[in-house]
Amino acid sequence: MKKTLILLSIMALAGGAAVAGDEPAKDSAAIKATVADYLEGWFSSDPERMERAFHPNLAKYNVRTVGKTDLEYLSRMSAEELVAMAHHNQEWVKGKKFHEMKILYEDDQLAVVHAVSDGFYDLCNLAKINGEWKIVQVLWGRNDLGKK
C-alpha cells in the first residue's frame, strides 16, 4: 500500500508528462510538425519553413575538431545562420532526406525530439511559447545513414 501511495505521489508531481513508452500528450502532432518544418525545410531548401520552426534565440551545437588536431570545441549556429544557409544548400542536400523522429520527452511546455536524417541526427529541444511549439536548441552529430 505504501509503495502504491508513493508511486501515485510521484506520478502526480510529474504532472502527467509523457515520456517514451507513455501515452502521448495532446501536442505530439504539433511537436512533430515543428521538427518536420525544420528538417524538411532544410532538405527542400525552404528557409521560410525552417524559420517557422525556430525560436529567434535558437542555438544549434555540434562538437568539432580543430583542424588536424585532437582538440575539440563546441560549434554554435544561430537561427539566422541556419535560415541563411538554407538559401544556398540546394546542391549538397540533393538526394538526401529526413527519415524519422521520436519524441523522447513531452509535457505541456517542453519536448525533446530525436530525429535522424541522411548524414546527421538531431536532438531538438522545443518549448511551447504563446501556444506555439518552437525549437530553441539543437545538438547534432554526424551519422553514416545513407552512405554506401
Side-chain angles (χ1 to χ4, degrees):
M1 182 69 171
K2 263 187 171 178
K3 288 182 182 178
T4 302
L5 288 174
I6 292 170
L7 181 59
L8 289 173
S9 297
I10 291 169
M11 289 171 56
L13 288 173
V19 181
D22 288 350
E23 190 68 29
K26 63 183 178 197
D27 284 349
S28 294
I31 292 165
K32 287 183 176 183
T34 301
V35 175
D37 277 344
Y38 156 46
L39 291 166
E40 291 174 3
W42 177 255
F43 286 112
S44 64
S45 300
D46 184 345
E48 289 78 24
R49 188 170 180 191
M50 288 177 57
E51 190 168 26
R52 181 169 67 217
F54 295 155
H55 185 276
N57 294 335
L58 170 132
K60 183 174 178 179
Y61 298 99
N62 174 255
V63 177
R64 304 194 95 160
T65 305
V66 176
K68 296 179 180 181
T69 71
D70 290 333
L71 183 61
E72 295 178 328
Y73 69 99
L74 195 59
S75 170
R76 181 188 185 279
M77 289 187 286
S78 67
E80 186 177 318
E81 290 169 316
L82 286 164
V83 170
M85 287 174 65
H87 283 284
H88 307 288
N89 70 353
Q90 292 90 354
E91 198 56 42
W92 68 273
V93 297
K94 195 174 189 176
K96 295 179 180 173
K97 62 182 179 175
F98 154 66
H99 291 280
E100 62 188 58
M101 76 174 87
K102 180 178 182 180
I103 297 175
L104 302 177
Y105 177 83
E106 174 183 0
D107 66 26
D108 291 340
Q109 292 182 310
L110 305 174
V112 179
V113 176
H114 178 256
V116 179
S117 302
D118 285 331
F120 64 93
Y121 62 90
D122 291 294
L123 288 167
C124 301
N125 291 326
L126 294 87
K128 190 173 186 180
I129 302 168
N130 297 318
E132 292 186 308
W133 285 99
K134 297 291 181 181
I135 300 172
V136 297
Q137 189 269 333
V138 177
L139 183 61
W140 72 279
R142 298 190 188 280
N143 67 29
D144 292 331
L145 188 61
K147 292 184 180 180
K148 303 286 184 208

